[in-house]
Amino acid sequence: QVQLAESGGGSVQAGGSLRLSCAASGLTSSRYCMGWFRQAPGKEREGVVTINAYGRTNYSDSVKGRFTISKDAAKNTLYLQMSSLKPEDTAVYYCATGRRDYCAYGMAYWGKGTLVTVSS
């Protein structure tokens, strides 16, 4: 059974930084597309960044240059380093993984999310 557990959320002032972690268990391979998504209050969930099995990343324009995705295959952990945070980054952040190497196949498993609140 695949499980994803996010951690690292919290409250921070605008301009600050946070690092989110996503511990994955039950995966039969580390060579899957993984990503971070977020859902702000009253809005639909949106993609933040994905990384495929070959290390290719795809950032949303709203976070490009401020957020960095990385993963530690040995620890089965995905990270999201967030810097220069803005109030509009406030959202519940979700980790997700697919079952294939390319992200075009979509996500199959989701974590429960971690709340990030950025105050002005």
Side-chain angles (χ1 to χ4, degrees):
Q1 182 180 0
V2 175
Q3 290 187 325
L4 302 173
E6 302 94 337
S7 61
S11 297
V12 64
Q13 288 193 330
S17 300
L18 280 175
R19 188 177 81 155
L20 305 184
S21 299
C22 172
S25 61
L27 292 172
T28 57
S29 171
S30 63
R31 296 182 62 78
Y32 294 147
C33 167
M34 297 189 76
W36 290 95
F37 297 76
R38 67 186 181 185
Q39 187 166 20
K43 295 188 177 180
E44 293 188 354
R45 188 169 58 194
E46 63 175 357
V48 175
V49 58
T50 56
I51 182 168
N52 70 16
Y54 309 103
R56 181 162 186 166
T57 58
N58 184 23
Y59 290 89
S60 71
D61 288 342
S62 62
V63 306
K64 204 171 291 184
R66 300 187 298 122
F67 291 10
T68 303
I69 190 171
S70 62
K71 62 180 180 179
D72 185 331
K75 295 182 179 180
N76 284 335
T77 302
L78 184 72
Y79 302 98
L80 182 66
Q81 178 67 46
M82 305 185 294
S83 302
S84 301
L85 283 160
K86 304 175 181 180
E88 51 263 45
D89 294 318
T90 295
V92 176
Y93 283 72
Y94 298 91
C95 170
T97 183
R99 295 196 200 98
R100 302 288 295 272
D101 50 356
Y102 287 102
C103 296
Y105 294 105
M107 299 297 172
Y109 304 100
W110 295 83
K112 294 183 179 180
T114 185
L115 177 63
V116 172
T117 303
V118 184
S119 58
S120 57

